Amino acid sequence: MSITKGLPFAYVVVALALIASSYVHAGRSNAGVDRNTPRTWCVANPFANERSLQKDIDTLCAGAVDCSSIRPGGACFEPDTVNNHASVVFNEYYRAHGSQRSACNFNGDALVALSDPSSGSCIYS
């Protein structure tokens, strides 16, 4: 019996990518590598409910993170979608907590991404 039976394909792919990434990085020397360079980002789960994402945004923007970039005129306002704004806010929180994977969950509303989600004027740290 497969342990992945019943899991959405995207979850299986993300899990396998995270496992592979840990093996790739485990054998590398840190010489000449900036330890502050982020290798992962925290983004909204594409399968998350929009109302749940909006609640997460409201909670985090109430004081946990600076949400000015997702306000009208901010660098990350466009595209003006709940998923995009949640990704920006989740990543701000993730960075503020040392990029610890435990800081990227939000009851399943967020995922750790291996590729930079930056786009246009919205640059993820």
Side-chain angles (χ1 to χ4, degrees), residues 79-123:
D80 184 13
T81 66
V82 173
N83 190 284
N84 178 66
H85 291 180
S87 291
V88 171
V89 172
F90 288 161
N91 195 65
E92 288 290 326
Y93 183 86
Y94 181 64
R95 287 285 171 258
H97 289 83
S99 301
Q100 296 295 315
R101 290 198 175 150
S102 60
C104 183
N105 185 328
F106 302 95
N107 294 315
D109 288 347
L111 300 170
V112 173
L114 301 175
S115 58
D116 186 351
S118 298
S119 178
S121 66
C122 184
I123 307 301

Side-chain angles (χ1 to χ4, degrees), residues 62-73:
V65 298
D66 176 11
C67 293
S68 60
S69 66
I70 62 169
R71 306 272 185 248

Side-chain angles (χ1 to χ4, degrees), residues 37-95:
T37 302
R39 291 194 173 106
T40 57
W41 296 262
C42 184
V43 298
N45 181 339
F47 300 107
N49 176 288
E50 280 196 12
R51 284 192 302 184
S52 182
L53 290 174
Q54 187 60 58
K55 184 178 175 184
D56 296 332
I57 292 168
D58 295 342
T59 299
L60 291 171
C61 290
V65 298
D66 176 11
C67 293
S68 60
S69 66
I70 62 169
R71 306 272 185 248
C76 298
F77 180 71
E78 295 293 338
D80 184 13
T81 66
V82 173
N83 190 284
N84 178 66
H85 291 180
S87 291
V88 171
V89 172
F90 288 161
N91 195 65
E92 288 290 326
Y93 183 86
Y94 181 64
R95 287 285 171 258

